Amino acid sequence: MDLAYTYPLAVFSKPLKLTVAYQLDVRDYASEQDGGIGREDDRHVVEMSADYAIHNNVDIKLSTQYGDFASSVDGANYQETIAELGINVHF
């Protein structure tokens, strides 16, 4: 399941897009009876981003993402945070 909401604004007469997104991914692998390891994973990811057009062909994007990856296998549980700053040039 993916959900996202984008809110457009204008800052200094230039377009700014603010986005909040959520992703849920539920995975059920083969059970031990089926010859598998009996693993179930739940992945929750939240992302926030801002995309600002500084020129007609140049955008700056700032985003951060937090993920909580839970599993029935202890070694597969983890959390991560990713931050990105980018410049997009398009023609």
Side-chain angles (χ1 to χ4, degrees), residues 26-82:
V26 177
R27 296 181 180 190
D28 186 10
Y29 298 94
S31 69
E32 291 178 24
Q33 295 172 354
D34 297 332
I37 60 173
R39 177 175 165 180
E40 292 182 22
D41 292 349
D42 293 329
R43 301 174 181 197
H44 302 271
V45 178
V46 177
E47 182 177 357
M48 294 183 291
S49 66
D51 195 352
Y52 183 63
I54 59 173
H55 190 270
N56 290 339
N57 298 331
V58 180
D59 299 343
I60 293 178
K61 183 171 184 174
L62 174 64
S63 69
T64 186
Q65 174 180 302
Y66 171 76
D68 183 10
F69 303 93
S71 177
S72 60
V73 176
D74 290 336
N77 290 323
Y78 68 98
Q79 298 172 341
E80 72 177 357
T81 302
I82 299 171

Side-chain angles (χ1 to χ4, degrees), residues 9-22:
L9 297 167
V11 176
F12 302 117
S13 301
K14 302 284 185 180
L16 169 67
K17 291 189 297 184
L18 301 175
T19 303
V20 176
Y22 173 75

